[in-house]
Every structure is written in C-alpha cells, then in structure tokens.
Coordinates of all heavy atoms in Angstrom, one line a residue:
M1 N 106.6 76.1 97.9 CA 105.5 75.7 97.0 C 104.7 74.6 97.7 O 105.3 73.7 98.4 CB 106.1 75.1 95.7 CG 105.1 74.6 94.7 SD 105.9 74.2 93.2 CE 104.7 74.8 92.1
S2 N 103.4 74.6 97.5 CA 102.6 73.6 98.2 C 102.6 72.2 97.6 O 102.8 72.1 96.4 CB 101.1 74.1 98.1 OG 100.2 73.2 98.6
D3 N 102.5 71.2 98.4 CA 102.4 69.8 97.9 C 101.1 69.4 97.5 O 100.9 68.3 97.0 CB 102.9 68.9 99.0 CG 104.4 69.1 99.4 OD1 105.1 69.6 98.5 OD2 104.8 68.8 100.5
T4 N 100.0 70.3 97.7 CA 98.7 69.9 97.3 C 98.2 70.7 96.1 O 98.8 71.8 95.8 CB 97.7 70.1 98.5 OG1 97.8 71.5 98.9 CG2 98.0 69.2 99.6
S5 N 97.2 70.3 95.4 CA 96.7 71.0 94.3 C 96.0 72.3 94.8 O 95.6 72.4 95.9 CB 95.6 70.1 93.6 OG 94.8 70.9 92.8
A6 N 96.0 73.3 93.9 CA 95.4 74.6 94.3 C 93.9 74.5 94.7 O 93.4 75.3 95.4 CB 95.6 75.6 93.2
N7 N 93.3 73.4 94.2 CA 91.8 73.3 94.4 C 91.6 72.4 95.7 O 90.5 72.4 96.1 CB 91.2 72.6 93.2 CG 91.2 73.5 92.0 OD1 91.2 74.8 92.2 ND2 91.2 73.0 90.8
E8 N 92.5 71.7 96.1 CA 92.4 70.8 97.2 C 93.0 71.3 98.5 O 94.2 71.6 98.5 CB 93.0 69.4 96.9 CG 92.4 68.7 95.8 CD 93.1 67.3 95.5 OE1 93.6 66.7 96.5 OE2 93.1 67.0 94.3
P9 N 92.2 71.3 99.6 CA 92.9 71.7 100.9 C 93.8 70.6 101.4 O 93.6 69.5 101.1 CB 91.7 71.9 101.8 CG 90.6 71.1 101.2 CD 90.8 71.1 99.7
R10 N 94.8 71.0 102.1 CA 95.7 70.1 102.7 C 95.0 69.3 103.9 O 94.4 70.0 104.8 CB 96.9 70.9 103.3 CG 98.0 70.0 103.8 CD 99.1 70.9 104.3 NE 100.3 70.3 104.4 CZ 101.5 70.7 103.9 NH1 101.5 71.8 103.3 NH2 102.6 70.0 104.1
L11 N 95.0 68.0 103.8 CA 94.2 67.2 104.8 C 95.0 67.0 106.0 O 96.1 66.5 106.0 CB 93.8 65.9 104.2 CG 92.9 65.0 105.0 CD1 91.6 65.7 105.4 CD2 92.7 63.7 104.4
I12 N 94.5 67.4 107.2 CA 95.1 67.2 108.5 C 94.1 66.3 109.3 O 92.9 66.6 109.4 CB 95.3 68.5 109.2 CG1 96.0 69.5 108.4 CG2 95.9 68.3 110.6 CD1 97.5 69.2 108.1
K13 N 94.6 65.2 109.8 CA 93.8 64.3 110.6 C 94.0 64.6 112.1 O 95.2 64.7 112.5 CB 94.1 62.8 110.3 CG 93.7 62.4 108.9 CD 93.9 61.0 108.7 CE 93.5 60.5 107.3 NZ 93.7 59.1 107.1
K14 N 92.9 64.7 112.8 CA 93.0 64.9 114.3 C 92.7 63.7 115.0 O 91.6 63.1 114.8 CB 92.1 66.1 114.7 CG 92.2 66.4 116.2 CD 91.4 67.6 116.5 CE 91.6 68.1 118.0 NZ 91.1 67.1 118.9
Y15 N 93.6 63.2 115.8 CA 93.4 62.0 116.6 C 92.8 62.3 118.0 O 93.0 63.5 118.5 CB 94.7 61.2 116.7 CG 95.0 60.6 115.4 CD1 95.8 61.3 114.4 CD2 94.6 59.3 115.1 CE1 96.0 60.7 113.2 CE2 94.9 58.7 113.9 CZ 95.6 59.4 112.9 OH 95.8 58.8 111.7
P16 N 92.2 61.3 118.6 CA 91.6 61.6 120.0 C 92.6 62.1 121.0 O 92.2 62.8 121.9 CB 91.0 60.2 120.4 CG 90.8 59.5 119.1 CD 91.9 60.0 118.2
N17 N 93.9 61.8 120.9 CA 94.9 62.3 121.8 C 95.4 63.7 121.5 O 96.4 64.1 122.0 CB 96.1 61.3 121.8 CG 96.8 61.2 120.5 OD1 96.4 61.9 119.5 ND2 97.8 60.3 120.4
R18 N 94.6 64.4 120.7 CA 94.8 65.8 120.3 C 96.0 65.9 119.3 O 96.3 67.1 118.9 CB 95.1 66.7 121.5 CG 93.9 66.8 122.4 CD 94.2 67.7 123.6 NE 95.0 68.9 123.3 CZ 94.5 70.1 123.3 NH1 93.3 70.4 123.6 NH2 95.3 71.1 123.1
R19 N 96.5 64.9 118.8 CA 97.6 65.0 117.8 C 97.1 65.2 116.4 O 96.0 64.8 116.1 CB 98.5 63.7 117.8 CG 99.2 63.5 119.1 CD 100.2 62.5 119.1 NE 101.4 62.9 118.4 CZ 102.4 62.1 118.1 NH1 102.4 60.9 118.5 NH2 103.5 62.6 117.4
L20 N 97.8 66.0 115.7 CA 97.4 66.4 114.3 C 98.4 65.8 113.3 O 99.6 65.9 113.5 CB 97.5 67.9 114.2 CG 96.5 68.7 115.1 CD1 96.9 70.2 115.0 CD2 95.1 68.5 114.7
Y21 N 97.9 65.1 112.3 CA 98.7 64.4 111.4 C 98.5 65.0 110.0 O 97.4 65.1 109.4 CB 98.3 62.9 111.3 CG 99.1 62.1 110.4 CD1 100.4 61.7 110.9 CD2 98.7 61.7 109.2 CE1 101.2 60.9 110.1 CE2 99.5 60.9 108.3 CZ 100.8 60.5 108.8 OH 101.6 59.8 108.0
D22 N 99.6 65.5 109.4 CA 99.6 66.1 108.1 C 99.8 65.0 107.1 O 100.8 64.3 107.0 CB 100.8 67.1 108.0 CG 100.9 67.8 106.7 OD1 100.3 67.4 105.7 OD2 101.6 68.8 106.6
T23 N 98.7 64.8 106.3 CA 98.8 63.6 105.3 C 99.7 63.9 104.1 O 100.0 63.0 103.5 CB 97.3 63.3 104.9 OG1 96.8 64.4 104.2 CG2 96.4 62.9 106.0
V24 N 100.0 65.2 103.9 CA 100.9 65.5 102.8 C 102.3 65.1 103.1 O 103.1 64.5 102.4 CB 100.8 67.0 102.4 CG1 101.8 67.3 101.3 CG2 99.4 67.2 101.8
K25 N 102.8 65.5 104.3 CA 104.1 65.3 104.8 C 104.3 64.0 105.5 O 105.4 63.6 105.9 CB 104.7 66.4 105.6 CG 104.9 67.7 104.9 CD 105.6 68.7 105.7 CE 106.0 69.9 104.9 NZ 106.7 70.9 105.7
S26 N 103.2 63.3 105.8 CA 103.2 62.1 106.6 C 103.9 62.2 107.9 O 104.8 61.4 108.2 CB 103.8 60.9 105.7 OG 103.0 60.7 104.6
T27 N 103.5 63.2 108.6 CA 104.1 63.5 109.9 C 103.2 64.2 110.8 O 102.2 64.8 110.4 CB 105.4 64.3 109.8 OG1 106.1 64.4 111.0 CG2 105.1 65.7 109.3
Y28 N 103.4 64.1 112.1 CA 102.6 64.8 113.1 C 103.0 66.2 113.2 O 104.2 66.5 113.0 CB 102.7 64.1 114.5 CG 101.9 62.8 114.5 CD1 102.6 61.6 114.4 CD2 100.6 62.8 114.7 CE1 102.0 60.4 114.5 CE2 99.9 61.6 114.7 CZ 100.6 60.4 114.6 OH 99.9 59.2 114.6
I29 N 102.1 67.2 113.3 CA 102.4 68.6 113.5 C 101.8 69.2 114.7 O 100.8 68.6 115.3 CB 101.9 69.4 112.2 CG1 100.4 69.3 112.0 CG2 102.6 68.9 111.0 CD1 99.9 70.2 111.0
T30 N 102.3 70.3 115.1 CA 101.7 71.0 116.3 C 100.7 72.0 115.8 O 100.6 72.3 114.6 CB 102.8 71.8 117.0 OG1 103.4 72.8 116.1 CG2 104.0 70.8 117.5
L31 N 99.9 72.6 116.8 CA 99.0 73.7 116.5 C 99.7 74.8 115.9 O 99.2 75.5 114.9 CB 98.3 74.1 117.7 CG 97.1 73.3 118.1 CD1 96.5 73.9 119.4 CD2 96.0 73.3 117.1
E32 N 100.9 75.1 116.3 CA 101.7 76.2 115.8 C 102.1 76.0 114.3 O 102.0 76.9 113.5 CB 103.0 76.5 116.7 CG 103.8 77.7 116.2 CD 103.1 79.0 116.3 OE1 102.2 79.2 117.1 OE2 103.3 79.9 115.4
E33 N 102.5 74.8 114.0 CA 102.8 74.5 112.6 C 101.6 74.6 111.8 O 101.7 75.0 110.6 CB 103.4 73.1 112.6 CG 104.8 73.0 113.2 CD 105.3 71.6 113.3 OE1 104.5 70.7 113.7 OE2 106.5 71.4 113.1
L34 N 100.4 74.2 112.3 CA 99.2 74.3 111.5 C 98.9 75.8 111.3 O 98.5 76.2 110.2 CB 98.0 73.7 112.3 CG 96.6 73.8 111.6 CD1 96.6 73.1 110.3 CD2 95.6 73.2 112.6
A35 N 99.1 76.6 112.3 CA 98.9 78.1 112.2 C 99.8 78.6 111.1 O 99.4 79.5 110.3 CB 99.1 78.7 113.5
D36 N 101.1 78.2 111.1 CA 102.0 78.6 110.1 C 101.5 78.3 108.7 O 101.7 79.1 107.8 CB 103.4 78.0 110.3 CG 104.1 78.6 111.5 OD1 103.7 79.7 112.0 OD2 105.0 78.0 112.0
L37 N 101.0 77.1 108.5 CA 100.4 76.7 107.2 C 99.4 77.7 106.7 O 99.3 78.1 105.6 CB 99.9 75.3 107.2 CG 100.8 74.1 107.3 CD1 100.1 72.8 107.5 CD2 101.7 74.1 106.1
V38 N 98.5 78.0 107.7 CA 97.4 78.9 107.3 C 97.9 80.3 107.0 O 97.5 81.0 106.1 CB 96.3 79.0 108.5 CG1 95.3 80.0 108.3 CG2 95.7 77.6 108.6
R39 N 98.9 80.8 107.8 CA 99.5 82.1 107.6 C 100.1 82.2 106.2 O 100.2 83.3 105.7 CB 100.5 82.4 108.7 CG 99.9 82.8 110.0 CD 101.0 83.3 110.9 NE 100.6 83.1 112.3 CZ 101.0 82.1 113.1 NH1 101.9 81.2 112.7 NH2 100.5 82.0 114.3
T40 N 100.6 81.1 105.7 CA 101.3 81.2 104.4 C 100.3 81.0 103.3 O 100.7 80.9 102.1 CB 102.4 80.1 104.3 OG1 101.8 78.8 104.5 CG2 103.5 80.3 105.3
G41 N 99.0 80.9 103.6 CA 98.0 80.8 102.6 C 97.5 79.4 102.2 O 96.7 79.3 101.3
E42 N 98.1 78.5 102.9 CA 97.7 77.1 102.7 C 96.2 76.9 103.1 O 95.9 77.3 104.2 CB 98.6 76.1 103.4 CG 98.4 74.7 103.1 CD 99.2 74.2 101.9 OE1 100.3 74.7 101.7 OE2 98.7 73.4 101.2
Q43 N 95.4 76.3 102.3 CA 94.1 75.9 102.7 C 94.2 74.5 103.4 O 94.8 73.6 102.8 CB 93.2 75.8 101.5 CG 92.8 77.1 100.9 CD 91.7 77.0 99.8 OE1 91.1 76.0 99.7 NE2 91.6 78.1 99.1
V44 N 93.6 74.4 104.5 CA 93.6 73.2 105.3 C 92.2 72.7 105.6 O 91.3 73.5 105.7 CB 94.4 73.3 106.6 CG1 95.9 73.7 106.3 CG2 93.8 74.3 107.5
E45 N 92.1 71.4 105.7 CA 90.9 70.8 106.2 C 91.3 69.8 107.3 O 92.1 68.9 107.1 CB 90.2 70.0 105.1 CG 88.9 69.3 105.5 CD 88.2 68.5 104.4 OE1 88.8 68.4 103.3 OE2 87.1 68.0 104.7
V46 N 90.7 70.0 108.5 CA 91.0 69.1 109.6 C 89.8 68.2 109.8 O 88.7 68.7 109.9 CB 91.2 69.9 110.9 CG1 91.6 69.0 112.1 CG2 92.3 71.0 110.7
V47 N 90.1 66.9 109.8 CA 89.0 65.9 110.0 C 89.4 65.0 111.2 O 90.5 64.7 111.5 CB 88.7 65.1 108.8 CG1 88.2 66.0 107.6 CG2 89.9 64.3 108.3
G48 N 88.3 64.5 111.8 CA 88.5 63.5 112.9 C 89.1 62.2 112.2 O 88.5 61.7 111.2
A49 N 90.1 61.7 112.8 CA 90.8 60.5 112.2 C 89.9 59.3 112.1 O 89.9 58.6 111.1 CB 92.1 60.2 112.9
K50 N 89.1 59.1 113.1 CA 88.2 57.9 113.1 C 86.8 58.3 112.6 O 86.3 57.5 111.8 CB 88.1 57.4 114.6 CG 89.4 56.8 115.1 CD 89.2 56.2 116.4 CE 90.5 55.6 116.9 NZ 90.3 54.9 118.2
S51 N 86.3 59.4 112.9 CA 84.9 59.8 112.5 C 84.8 60.4 111.1 O 83.8 60.3 110.5 CB 84.3 60.7 113.5 OG 85.0 62.0 113.4
G52 N 85.9 61.0 110.6 CA 85.8 61.7 109.4 C 85.1 63.0 109.5 O 84.9 63.8 108.5
E53 N 84.7 63.4 110.7 CA 83.9 64.7 110.9 C 84.8 65.9 110.6 O 86.0 65.9 111.0 CB 83.5 64.7 112.4 CG 82.8 65.9 112.8 CD 82.4 66.0 114.3 OE1 82.8 65.0 115.0 OE2 81.8 67.0 114.7
D54 N 84.2 66.9 110.0 CA 85.0 68.1 109.7 C 85.2 68.9 111.0 O 84.2 69.3 111.6 CB 84.2 68.9 108.7 CG 85.0 70.2 108.2 OD1 86.1 70.4 108.8 OD2 84.5 70.9 107.3
L55 N 86.4 69.0 111.4 CA 86.8 69.7 112.7 C 87.6 71.0 112.4 O 88.2 71.6 113.3 CB 87.6 68.8 113.6 CG 87.0 67.5 113.9 CD1 88.0 66.6 114.7 CD2 85.8 67.7 114.8
T56 N 87.6 71.4 111.1 CA 88.4 72.6 110.7 C 88.1 73.8 111.6 O 89.0 74.5 112.1 CB 88.2 72.9 109.2 OG1 88.4 71.7 108.5 CG2 89.2 74.0 108.8
R57 N 86.8 74.2 111.7 CA 86.5 75.4 112.5 C 86.9 75.3 113.9 O 87.4 76.2 114.5 CB 85.0 75.7 112.4 CG 84.5 76.2 111.1 CD 83.0 76.5 111.1 NE 82.6 76.8 109.8 CZ 81.7 77.8 109.5 NH1 81.3 78.5 110.5 NH2 81.4 78.0 108.3
Q58 N 86.7 74.1 114.5 CA 87.0 74.0 115.9 C 88.5 74.1 116.2 O 88.9 74.8 117.1 CB 86.6 72.6 116.4 CG 85.1 72.4 116.5 CD 84.7 71.0 116.8 OE1 84.8 70.1 115.9 NE2 84.3 70.7 118.0
V59 N 89.3 73.5 115.3 CA 90.7 73.5 115.5 C 91.3 74.9 115.2 O 92.2 75.4 115.9 CB 91.4 72.4 114.6 CG1 92.9 72.5 114.7 CG2 91.0 71.0 115.1
L60 N 90.8 75.5 114.1 CA 91.3 76.9 113.8 C 90.9 77.9 114.9 O 91.7 78.8 115.2 CB 90.9 77.3 112.4 CG 91.5 76.5 111.3 CD1 91.0 77.0 109.9 CD2 93.0 76.5 111.4
T61 N 89.7 77.7 115.5 CA 89.3 78.5 116.6 C 90.3 78.3 117.8 O 90.7 79.3 118.4 CB 87.9 78.2 117.0 OG1 87.0 78.5 115.9 CG2 87.5 79.1 118.2
Q62 N 90.6 77.1 118.0 CA 91.6 76.8 119.1 C 92.9 77.5 118.8 O 93.5 78.1 119.7 CB 91.8 75.3 119.2 CG 92.7 74.9 120.3 CD 92.9 73.4 120.4 OE1 92.3 72.6 119.6 NE2 93.8 72.9 121.2
V63 N 93.4 77.4 117.6 CA 94.6 78.1 117.2 C 94.6 79.6 117.5 O 95.5 80.2 118.1 CB 95.0 77.9 115.7 CG1 96.1 78.8 115.2 CG2 95.3 76.4 115.5
I64 N 93.5 80.2 117.1 CA 93.3 81.7 117.3 C 93.3 82.0 118.8 O 94.0 82.9 119.2 CB 92.0 82.2 116.7 CG1 92.1 82.1 115.1 CG2 91.7 83.6 117.1 CD1 90.8 82.3 114.4
L65 N 92.6 81.2 119.6 CA 92.4 81.5 121.0 C 93.7 81.3 121.8 O 94.0 82.0 122.7 CB 91.3 80.7 121.6 CG 89.9 81.1 121.2 CD1 88.9 80.1 121.8 CD2 89.6 82.5 121.6
E66 N 94.5 80.3 121.4 CA 95.7 80.0 122.1 C 96.9 80.9 121.6 O 97.9 81.0 122.3 CB 96.1 78.5 121.9 CG 95.1 77.6 122.7 CD 95.5 76.2 122.7 OE1 96.6 75.8 122.2 OE2 94.7 75.4 123.2
E67 N 96.8 81.5 120.5 CA 97.8 82.4 120.0 C 98.0 83.6 120.9 O 97.1 84.3 121.1 CB 97.6 82.8 118.5 CG 98.7 83.5 117.9 CD 98.5 83.8 116.5 OE1 98.4 82.8 115.7 OE2 98.3 84.9 116.1
K68 N 99.2 83.8 121.4 CA 99.6 85.0 122.1 C 98.6 85.3 123.3 O 98.3 86.4 123.5 CB 99.7 86.2 121.2 CG 100.7 86.0 120.1 CD 100.8 87.2 119.2 CE 101.8 86.9 118.1 NZ 101.8 87.9 117.0
G69 N 98.2 84.2 124.0 CA 97.4 84.4 125.2 C 96.1 85.0 125.0 O 95.5 85.6 125.9
R70 N 95.5 84.8 123.9 CA 94.1 85.3 123.6 C 93.1 84.6 124.5 O 92.0 85.1 124.5 CB 93.8 85.2 122.1 CG 94.6 86.2 121.4 CD 94.2 86.3 119.9 NE 95.0 87.3 119.2 CZ 95.1 87.4 118.0 NH1 94.5 86.5 117.2 NH2 95.9 88.3 117.4
L71 N 93.4 83.5 125.0 CA 92.4 82.8 125.9 C 92.1 83.7 127.1 O 91.0 83.5 127.7 CB 93.0 81.4 126.4 CG 92.7 80.2 125.6 CD1 93.4 79.0 126.1 CD2 91.3 80.0 125.4
E72 N 93.0 84.6 127.4 CA 92.8 85.5 128.5 C 91.6 86.4 128.3 O 91.1 87.1 129.2 CB 94.0 86.3 128.9 CG 95.2 85.4 129.4 CD 96.4 86.2 129.5 OE1 96.5 87.4 129.3 OE2 97.4 85.5 129.8
L73 N 91.2 86.5 127.0 CA 90.1 87.4 126.6 C 88.7 86.8 127.1 O 87.7 87.6 127.1 CB 90.0 87.6 125.1 CG 91.2 88.3 124.5 CD1 91.1 88.3 123.0 CD2 91.3 89.7 125.0
I74 N 88.7 85.5 127.4 CA 87.5 84.9 127.8 C 87.4 85.0 129.3 O 88.3 84.4 130.0 CB 87.4 83.4 127.3 CG1 87.5 83.4 125.8 CG2 86.2 82.7 127.8 CD1 87.6 82.0 125.2
P75 N 86.4 85.6 129.9 CA 86.3 85.8 131.3 C 85.8 84.5 132.0 O 84.6 84.1 131.8 CB 85.3 86.9 131.5 CG 84.5 86.9 130.3 CD 85.3 86.4 129.2
V76 N 86.7 83.8 132.6 CA 86.3 82.6 133.4 C 86.8 82.7 134.8 O 88.0 83.0 135.0 CB 87.0 81.4 132.7 CG1 86.6 80.1 133.4 CG2 86.5 81.3 131.2
E77 N 85.9 82.4 135.7 CA 86.4 82.5 137.1 C 87.0 81.2 137.6 O 86.7 80.2 137.1 CB 85.1 82.8 138.0 CG 84.6 84.2 137.7 CD 83.4 84.5 138.6 OE1 83.3 83.9 139.7 OE2 82.6 85.4 138.2

C-alpha cells in the first residue's frame, strides 16, 4: 500500500551528486528502486533539491535508457 495520497505523486528529491531522496520513506534510493516504484504503479515527481525544478522526465528517461543496456541503442562513436 502506498504511503502517499492517490492524488499526490511521491516526491523524490534529486541532489547535485546524483543521489535521489524519497521524502516519504526519508531515505536515499537508487535508480533501480525508483524504477520499481514506477513499475508498481506509484506516481512519482522528481524535483531538484535546491532549484525545485521538475526533473521527472529527465530522470525517468535515464531509468529507461539504463535499464537492461538500452544505452547501447544510441549510436555513439
């Protein structure tokens, strides 16, 4: 069962050192743990810890690309 309201996304703060902080559990999480939250249907919002900028799309795109070596799909010499 989720610790957040059905209408409110779970707030994740992203720090400049790339660490992700789950404000519901008051603990740092990994990209994999974030991916697990999304897979279980949890709505998340990722914001810059200092700027408050919405980083959700950027971080979830990173999760998708890093999952199971999908970064190899991008042709880089």
Side-chain angles (χ1 to χ4, degrees):
M1 180 174 220
S2 173
D3 293 337
T4 57
S5 166
N7 296 331
E8 295 178 33
R10 185 180 200 130
L11 183 62
I12 307 294
K13 292 184 179 181
K14 183 175 185 291
Y15 287 87
N17 61 3
R18 294 180 40 112
R19 293 190 76 184
L20 299 170
Y21 185 78
D22 182 343
T23 61
V24 172
K25 290 190 173 183
S26 299
T27 187
Y28 289 99
I29 62 172
T30 64
L31 277 177
E32 183 61 33
E33 290 169 319
L34 178 62
D36 288 342
L37 288 173
V38 173
R39 281 187 207 105
T40 60
E42 187 85 36
Q43 289 190 11
V44 299
E45 179 181 5
V46 182
V47 298
K50 291 185 179 183
S51 67
E53 178 185 2
D54 185 355
L55 302 173
T56 307
R57 285 182 189 225
Q58 290 171 288
V59 173
L60 293 181
T61 298
Q62 181 182 356
V63 167
I64 291 167
L65 290 175
E66 290 185 7
E67 186 174 295
K68 299 180 184 171
R70 290 187 180 161
L71 270 177
E72 295 173 4
L73 297 174
I74 299 174
V76 178
E77 294 182 23

